[in-house]
Amino acid sequence: MSEPCYSFAEQLKKLLGSFSPEIALILGSGLGDIASAITSPLIIDYSQIKGFPQSSVSGHLGRFVAGTLQGKRVLCMQGRIHLYEGHSPQVISQIIKTFKLLGIKTLIVTNAAGSLNPDILPGSIMLITDHINFSFANPLIGANDDRLGPRFPDMSNAYTKDLQTLARKTAARHNLALKEGVYLMVSGPNFETAAEVKAFAILGADAVGMSTVPEVISANHVGINVLGFSIITNMGTGLQKSAQTHCETLAVANRAAANLSLLLTDIVKEL
Ligand code: HPA
């Protein structure tokens, strides 16, 4: 039996009609509003696609928004799928393979994350330069479909360097402070202990979160270019006095979303 991505792609192609997206955006916690910049949006609920995983987290709508942004054809995921919801990492790779089958060349991922670096404060936008997969899961485990990507994909340009350069230039043009660093993924759903936060900083990470890495591994597998941003919503456990809450994540992400939206809109224009 063929993988679900073939059926997802076929169903999405029917729903999209003559619209063929070239860029995919995955919007993280509290960042869904970025899709409101899309003109003449076509909304497709994940539930309209047979077998497609559903998003169950507050702050994640669970729908695609397709349309043009700065003249570019984009497909936005307003609401992503997380491992902590009980989804297998392989399900995430099916979504990215679906993008590949739709002809998507570039994936922009955004997330909310906790800072491990005292120089990167809440409210900052962090360009993701690389990642550490500390989720103990991998979306590529299982049989490999050689038509879509190699068995042992290279990860030396995981976050496409040319796209990082474009992001830096665009941020500078807007006078927007852009931090950069390494994103470490944990499975969640619990926030980290203070000891874990200390350990992750020693490992070389600047931010910690519960998403993105399976999407980026899968995109590299199928040859889709990646650009990634974290909105820093809090300092990691032990680095701030208050406890971590999802409410705080959503509130800070919402506030910083306007700046990220500005940046993304201008980057998309140049792609
Ligand atoms: N840890 C993990 N995930 C997160 C955090 C955090 O501190 N903040 C937002 N998402």
Side-chain angles (χ1 to χ4, degrees):
M1 208 185 80
S2 66
E3 294 183 74
C5 57
Y6 292 99
S7 152
F8 296 163
E10 207 164 292
Q11 295 179 68
L12 262 169
K13 273 182 192 166
K14 273 200 193 117
L15 291 162
L16 291 169
S18 60
F19 182 84
S20 63
E22 48 194 327
I23 301 164
L25 274 107
I26 302 181
L27 303 176
S29 295
L31 300 171
D33 271 0
I34 291 171
S36 58
I38 292 176
T39 46
S40 347
L42 172 69
I43 311 277
I44 300 170
D45 279 327
Y46 298 161
S47 61
Q48 288 175 257
I49 303 162
K50 198 165 154 266
F52 201 84
Q54 305 295 306
S55 171
S56 68
V57 190
S58 75
H60 288 262
L61 279 171
R63 62 188 204 174
F64 287 106
V65 183
T68 52
L69 188 61
Q70 298 288 346
K72 296 288 159 68
R73 299 184 307 277
V74 304
L75 181 66
C76 244
M77 277 187 94
Q78 242 179 353
R80 59 151 55 85
I81 306 301
H82 302 87
L83 297 185
Y84 62 71
E85 293 171 86
H87 295 295
S88 76
Q90 286 76 16
V91 165
I92 299 174
S93 81
Q94 292 303 317
I95 297 173
I96 305 299
K97 285 174 180 173
T98 302
F99 291 164
K100 177 72 178 179
L101 293 169
L102 290 176
I104 283 167
K105 303 278 185 289
T106 306
L107 171 66
I108 302 178
V109 283
T110 66
N111 60 48
S115 174
L116 306 168
N117 179 336
D119 292 333
I120 305 182
L121 297 174
S124 306
I125 300 174
M126 186 187 93
L127 172 70
I128 307 176
T129 55
D130 209 345
H131 73 222
I132 297 173
N133 182 7
F134 211 84
S135 69
F136 304 106
N138 192 300
L140 307 183
I141 288 176
N144 188 57
D145 184 342
D146 294 332
R147 290 170 297 179
L148 294 176
R151 173 76 288 186
F152 301 107
D154 172 55
M155 292 293 287
S156 62
N157 195 21
Y159 296 80
T160 312
K161 291 190 174 80
D162 288 348
L163 295 181
Q164 290 186 44
T165 304
L166 173 63
R168 287 184 196 104
K169 278 191 190 147
T170 310
R173 211 172 42 236
H174 283 288
N175 250 335
L176 203 84
L178 183 64
K179 299 287 183 178
E180 32 189 283
V182 173
Y183 176 87
L184 181 143
M185 181 194 173
V186 291
S187 70
N190 60 287
F191 288 106
E192 300 67 44
T193 64
E196 285 165 344
V197 161
K198 253 190 215 163
F200 295 160
I202 291 167
L203 282 179
D206 298 285
V208 57
M210 305 177 192
S211 68
T212 303
V213 165
E215 297 150 10
V216 173
I217 292 173
S218 301
N220 276 268
H221 177 230
V222 297
I224 292 178
N225 291 325
V226 175
L227 179 63
F229 297 96
S230 292
I231 292 276
I232 302 299
T233 56
N234 56 278
M235 297 307 291
T237 311
L239 301 177
Q240 70 176 26
K241 288 203 181 78
S242 55
Q244 321 294 9
T245 67
H246 186 54
C247 248
E248 176 191 46
T249 298
L250 293 183
V252 181
N254 269 315
R255 282 202 296 275
N259 276 341
L260 183 56
S261 190
L262 187 75
L263 183 62
L264 284 184
T265 310
D266 241 37
I267 289 172
V268 163
K269 190 160 57 176
E270 306 289 329
L271 289 176

